[in-house]
Amino acid sequence: MNIFRLTGDLSHLAAIIILLLKIWKTRSCAGISGKSQVLFAFVFTTRYLDLLTSFISLYNTTMKIIYIGCAYATVYLIYMKFKATYDGNHDTFRVEFLVVPVGGLAFLVNHDFSPLEILWTFSIYLESVAILPQLFMISKTGEAETITTHYLFFLGLYRALYLINWIWRYYFEGFFDMIAIVAGVVQTILYCDFFYLYVTKVLKGKKLSLPA
């Protein structure tokens, strides 16, 4: 494992922990898109079904279990424990416009037409757009809490580091996965405007806001 994948995994884990701590400590999920979190739960569930069929390493298995567990814990906190604080009036992105096209694309463009491979491909495509309900929610409310922006920053950083990881693996291992790379590029592009606002506002102590 190269340093870019490791730091990418740690950034991803940091994002998840930041979000969970934010919800638990404030006893509120205000400003958090439940729809995005449900999509991420779908992503991890469909991607890590290989936990039932193969073992790669203790690290690999542990991280997969943590991702799945944290994803469903987040969904539980939003829709069950702290449901009264969930801002459903602003979390209105039509996720079917993401899930249906992504599902169709996974059937049409994949490495192997088998159930596990199609579901893995579906997870890769879905992850690239799963953050859209969250960004849409921020654009509707006009602003985001600082801790929420930290979560988004580490989530975007994780994907950017994974792109570097793919480049590293291509040059040093001869490994090339077009599906993962294209999806990663799409996901990183979605974060570009947010990254700019994060650096120019949040890191200077200002509140982040997006144009409505």
Side-chain angles (χ1 to χ4, degrees):
M1 179 186 299
N2 64 65
I3 188 64
F4 299 112
R5 179 175 179 180
L6 178 60
T7 52
D9 286 344
L10 293 178
S11 294
H12 195 184
L13 186 59
I16 293 171
I17 292 174
I18 285 171
L19 183 63
L20 280 172
L21 288 178
K22 181 268 180 191
I23 296 174
W24 188 259
K25 285 189 173 183
T26 63
R27 318 298 285 180
S28 169
C29 55
I32 303 298
S33 168
K35 291 184 176 182
S36 271
Q37 297 310 311
V38 168
L39 292 181
F40 282 124
F42 283 156
V43 165
F44 297 135
T45 302
T46 53
R47 180 174 303 172
Y48 298 143
L49 288 172
D50 63 345
L51 280 170
L52 305 174
T53 61
S54 60
F55 177 81
I56 298 174
S57 68
L58 181 60
Y59 171 83
N60 184 277
T61 298
T62 301
M63 293 299 282
K64 289 177 178 179
I65 293 174
I66 289 174
Y67 289 151
I68 294 173
C70 288
Y72 281 98
T74 303
V75 171
Y76 166 75
L77 292 179
I78 293 173
Y79 287 103
M80 300 290 289
K81 191 169 184 65
F82 302 123
K83 182 179 180 179
T85 65
Y86 170 55
D87 188 8
N89 291 329
H90 287 116
D91 194 13
T92 57
F93 193 95
R94 299 284 297 276
V95 293
E96 61 268 29
F97 292 150
L98 299 178
V99 176
V100 174
V102 161
L105 186 61
F107 269 96
L108 296 173
V109 183
N110 50 67
H111 295 308
D112 179 51
F113 198 76
S114 64
L116 281 181
E117 189 63 34
I118 290 173
L119 288 171
W120 177 86
T121 306
F122 170 79
S123 78
I124 295 296
Y125 293 151
L126 183 61
E127 185 183 23
S128 69
V129 294
I131 200 62
L132 281 176
Q134 180 67 65
L135 296 178
F136 182 72
M137 187 176 185
I138 292 175
S139 72
K140 287 196 70 176
T141 58
E143 60 184 21
E145 295 180 20
T146 300
I147 192 67
T148 304
T149 63
H150 293 333
Y151 158 72
L152 290 171
F153 172 78
F154 279 102
L155 204 57
L157 180 62
Y158 138 71
R159 183 42 61 184
L161 287 167
Y162 252 67
L163 275 182
I164 301 174
N165 163 63
W166 292 125
I167 296 172
W168 174 279
R169 293 191 66 183
Y170 174 72
Y171 278 103
F172 294 97
E173 300 175 14
F175 181 83
F176 184 78
D177 189 328
M178 179 60 76
I179 289 176
I181 291 174
V182 171
V185 169
V186 170
Q187 188 173 358
T188 305
I189 289 174
L190 292 178
Y191 282 95
C192 283
D193 185 45
F194 168 79
F195 278 144
Y196 172 77
L197 291 173
Y198 185 86
V199 171
T200 57
K201 290 191 175 183
V202 179
L203 293 184
K204 294 181 179 179
K206 301 178 183 177
K207 198 162 190 176
L208 182 142
S209 60
L210 292 177

